[in-house]
Amino acid sequence: MRCASFYIPKQSKLKLKPLGEDAHFVSCDEQTIGVADGVSGWDKSGIDSGIYARSLIFNYANAINNKLLPEIIDPKTIIREAFSKNSNLEGSSTICVVTHNNGMLRGANIGDSGFLVFREGKLIYKSQTQQKRFNCPFQLGNHKGSDRPECAVEMELGVKEGDVVVMGSDGLLDNLFNWEIQDIIKTELKLDDHDDKYNNKYKDLAFAIAEAAYYRSLDKYGVSPYAIASAKAGKKHKGGKIDDISVLVGHIVCNWDISSSASSS
């Protein structure tokens, strides 16, 4: 699985959180990607949940890089390992992890981040999100009302050459419809193109999806998944949702000389 990512942190007028509250990790060596989204509700208590999310992803990356996990990675085990080392931090975060091994995707998700799988230009799978109520996702944390790794939704999915995995925080999923992501993939990535000399195309794809989500987030009058969900919950909201936007992409290919990269923002 060839992987790449792109991150657009939410712009703050006070510029108190230049890194935003999302964090992510990409390991092509271990065929694993993950994203965490710090819950912004902690702002009211003067707590930056981005610190919790970045620590969670750092712990996760450390477990991967130090080979502390079995050969076939269990995403829920990754989450449990990362969470156990975050016991001294305030705040909370969602998390979504996906790993690929020999044509099988294994994932675990807590909260409203998630991933989609496209095959031959069509959506074939979308992960289940977890919310306690509208705009209140399940979340890992150390406070009394937080959740624990055991609540993670686990999934397995067989994939084949050419399939495209798109993972994102809710900054992506709240702003773009599935068909819009699908159209961007068709435009940016030729599914039959396996040119090893052009590895930047995956970064370009992640950027194109993130850019589209960003412009939608600034749209005050358009239709978005978040606006539709708001209406269903009896809330009034038009346009997109301004938020941190993390996009990770994976392309299933054969006979590729694996290299690794890591990123946590």
Side-chain angles (χ1 to χ4, degrees), residues 194-213:
H194 304 309
D195 184 2
D196 288 345
K197 296 180 181 178
Y198 185 32
N199 293 322
N200 284 337
K201 64 185 175 183
Y202 302 109
K203 188 79 172 181
D204 293 344
L205 174 59
F207 168 76
I209 296 172
E211 182 183 43

Side-chain angles (χ1 to χ4, degrees), residues 1-2 161 194 196 252-258:
M1 183 170 70
R2 294 182 180 181
E161 185 177 11
H194 304 309
D196 288 345
I252 307 301
V253 299
C254 294
N255 300 322
W256 178 51
D257 183 17
I258 294 175

Side-chain angles (χ1 to χ4, degrees), residues 25-41:
F25 178 78
V26 174
S27 174
C28 291
D29 263 351
E30 302 299 336
Q31 303 286 278
T32 305
I33 56 178
V35 63
D37 179 3
V39 177
S40 60

Side-chain angles (χ1 to χ4, degrees), residues 27-259:
S27 174
C28 291
D29 263 351
E30 302 299 336
Q31 303 286 278
T32 305
I33 56 178
V35 63
D37 179 3
V39 177
S40 60
W42 284 95
D43 284 348
K44 298 175 183 178
S45 302
I47 296 169
D48 179 1
S49 270
I51 296 173
Y52 187 95
R54 288 188 288 275
S55 179
L56 195 64
I57 287 297
F58 175 82
N59 296 337
Y60 155 60
N62 191 53
I64 292 287
N65 292 331
N66 289 332
K67 306 293 184 183
L68 300 178
L69 300 167
E71 183 177 349
I72 298 179
I73 296 171
D74 175 15
K76 195 169 184 176
T77 299
I78 301 174
I79 292 174
R80 187 179 294 111
E81 174 74 18
F83 172 76
S84 69
K85 297 183 182 302
N86 249 21
S87 60
N88 62 334
L89 292 178
E90 294 183 295
S92 58
S93 175
T94 69
I95 187 168
C96 182
V97 179
V98 168
T99 187
H100 172 256
N101 184 275
N102 292 327
M104 183 65 69
L105 282 184
R106 294 177 176 86
N109 188 43
I110 297 175
D112 54 6
S113 295
F115 70 97
L116 308 90
V117 180
F118 297 87
R119 176 172 298 164
E120 298 176 354
K122 296 181 180 180
L123 177 68
I124 65 167
Y125 181 80
K126 184 174 183 179
S127 62
Q128 177 184 344
T129 58
Q130 294 177 306
Q131 291 201 43
K132 300 175 182 179
R133 58 184 182 277
F134 174 69
N135 213 29
C136 181
F138 281 55
Q139 53 202 264
L140 292 178
N142 299 308
H143 65 290
K144 195 172 184 179
S146 66
D147 303 293
R148 296 295 182 265
E150 288 67 33
C151 76
V153 175
E154 298 180 273
M155 62 286 288
E156 286 192 2
L157 177 70
V159 289
K160 64 180 185 178
E161 185 177 11
D163 287 357
V164 178
V165 181
V166 177
M167 175 182 285
S169 59
D170 64 338
L172 166 64
L173 303 177
D174 281 342
N175 283 300
L176 291 187
F177 293 98
N178 301 337
W179 63 266
E180 292 178 303
I181 299 173
Q182 179 176 293
D183 285 350
I184 294 171
I185 293 172
K186 290 179 181 178
T187 301
E188 296 291 330
L189 182 64
K190 295 180 181 178
L191 299 183
D192 60 350
D193 180 5
H194 304 309
D195 184 2
D196 288 345
K197 296 180 181 178
Y198 185 32
N199 293 322
N200 284 337
K201 64 185 175 183
Y202 302 109
K203 188 79 172 181
D204 293 344
L205 174 59
F207 168 76
I209 296 172
E211 182 183 43
Y214 172 70
Y215 284 120
R216 175 63 55 71
S217 75
L218 302 179
D219 186 343
K220 296 180 180 180
Y221 304 103
V223 179
S224 69
Y226 184 77
I228 292 175
S230 296
K232 290 181 178 178
K235 311 289 184 180
K236 291 184 178 180
H237 182 92
K238 293 183 179 180
K241 177 191 175 188
I242 295 176
D243 203 349
D244 302 310
I245 299 168
S246 294
V247 178
L248 299 83
V249 299
H251 191 201
I252 307 301
V253 299
C254 294
N255 300 322
W256 178 51
D257 183 17
I258 294 175
S259 63

